Amino acid sequence: MRTVVCPQLGPLGDIAIEDRPPLAPGPDEVIVNVRAAGVNFVDGLICQGKYQIKPPTPFVPGSEIAGEVAAVGAAVHGVSPGDRVIAMTGFGGFAEQVAVPAALVVRAPDKLGFGQAAALIQSYSTSLFTLSRRTSVTPGEWVLILGAGGGIGLACTDVAVALGAHVIAAASTPEKLEAAEEMGAEATIAYEDEDLKTRARELSGGGVDVVVDTVGGRHSEPALRATRWWGRFCVVGFASGTIPSLPLNQILLNNRTVVGVDWGAWTFRDQAGFSELLTELMKMVESGKLHPPEPAERPLVEAAKAMEDLIERRVIGKVVLVP
Ligand SMILES: NC(=O)c1ccc[n+]([C@@H]2O[C@H](COP(=O)([O-])OP(=O)(O)OC[C@H]3O[C@@H](n4cnc5c(N)ncnc54)[C@H](OP(=O)(O)O)[C@@H]3O)[C@@H](O)[C@H]2O)c1
């Protein structure tokens, strides 16, 4: 089976394709024939050695997949060959096959294609975790989303609208803003050209209730200043590459709260909580409350290019590898 291999942490150009023998399941494992593997911003950072997690090399990147079960281990119950499933793999997803502990496999919602299903968990569960667990968005509140045309940005837009909020999408290009509007954003701000703080205050009638910041850098402080009385500022990521410093007086004023979001660590520390969140997420997808976007599809051989495109800000929404 063909697999993407990162031989050492460094330039994405070092990534290669290898042929490896087909996998056989351990007693508690499931072998999945991968139909799509979600590519995330962090995958590129990990391969380059720029992320806090530095796996031993060589390794196969790819943390989330959707596919069909090919074989199950002797101790596995409730999952059968042929089932359509989604799994968080940690690593190993960028391949034709992956071995996953059966406990980590989730049935793929019938209404989603493999691409949508593969790109679902990281973006949508981070978004639902942010807006319903780290803060609580209530109907009628105004939510400002930075990087709204990205993977988490679009998912957060979808989740916030499903929770009854008004969304203001902020992004760099008309195409990204249009994608956020299609997802339900009521207003947009082109944050490279417009005054983010002033526009967000105008559009929300005085200030937003919640900011979701996936970008960091120079946009964070004006976004914080755009929050109203009791505003919450959710720190999700630093895609710009710059970790900003926020003035504490701006947090004191208006009784604002800055909320850290570490979804990945939480999924390990509170597996019951994560499982509950996933069940809630799948119900929202099945009932049509959420609308996971159709991702762009790329072949396995373009893994490095797909990661580079994310890092270079060229992707709208999600991208998956299709083995
Ligand atoms: N806290 C958590 O638990 C958690 C979980 C998953 C991911 N994350 C983090 O969240 C961030 C966003 O992830 P994602 O999957 O949404 O990524 P993505 O799909 O690549 O979107 C990131 C967005 O950031 C914006 N951006 C601004 N400056 C950028 C730059 N210099 N390079 C790249 N992008 C830039 C881009 O929008 P514009 O072009 O419109 O500015 C882009 O659409 C990443 O930092 C990721 O590591 C955090």
Side-chain angles (χ1 to χ4, degrees), residues 7-21:
Q8 63 265 329
L9 303 183
L12 294 176
D14 294 348
I15 286 172
I17 299 280
E18 273 181 19
D19 242 325
R20 292 186 174 179

Side-chain angles (χ1 to χ4, degrees), residues 85-257:
V85 295
I86 311 181
M88 294 297 293
T89 54
F91 292 101
F94 294 175
E96 286 180 322
Q97 282 193 329
V98 65
V100 194
L104 300 185
V105 161
V106 180
R107 205 163 290 275
D110 290 338
K111 58 168 35 172
L112 299 190
F114 283 123
Q116 288 170 300
L120 180 75
I121 293 187
Q122 190 179 118
S123 295
Y124 271 83
S125 72
T126 300
S127 300
L128 188 58
F129 177 64
T130 304
L131 298 176
S132 72
R133 305 305 202 262
R134 296 300 293 123
T135 188
S136 201
V137 167
T138 53
E141 286 195 312
W142 283 89
V143 178
L144 169 64
I145 299 174
L146 309 187
I152 293 185
L154 275 187
C156 261
T157 302
D158 202 10
V159 170
V161 170
L163 296 175
H166 306 285
V167 172
I168 301 173
S172 64
T173 67
E175 294 77 16
K176 288 182 180 179
L177 293 171
E178 206 175 295
E181 277 183 309
E182 278 169 20
M183 197 53 102
E186 277 177 41
T188 61
I189 302 174
Y191 57 19
E192 300 301 0
D193 309 316
E194 296 182 86
D195 181 328
L196 181 59
K197 180 188 78 177
T198 307
R199 284 297 289 143
R201 283 186 179 171
E202 281 169 6
L203 290 164
S204 57
V208 299
D209 300 285
V210 174
V211 171
V212 178
D213 185 3
T214 67
V215 176
R218 71 182 187 89
H219 298 310
S220 300
E221 187 175 331
L224 172 69
R225 287 174 184 263
T227 57
R228 70 172 87 206
W229 182 249
W230 231 253
R232 292 94 79 199
F233 181 100
C234 302
V235 182
V236 176
F238 311 105
S240 67
T242 305
I243 299 174
S245 298
L246 296 174
L248 285 180
N249 66 316
Q250 287 299 324
I251 299 164
L252 177 154
L253 292 170
N254 276 346
N255 285 301
R256 292 168 174 141
T257 304

Side-chain angles (χ1 to χ4, degrees), residues 37-38 40 42-43 60-65 87-94 122:
N40 288 293
V42 287
D43 295 320
V60 180
S63 65
E64 57 180 350
I65 58 100
M88 294 297 293
T89 54
F91 292 101
F94 294 175
Q122 190 179 118

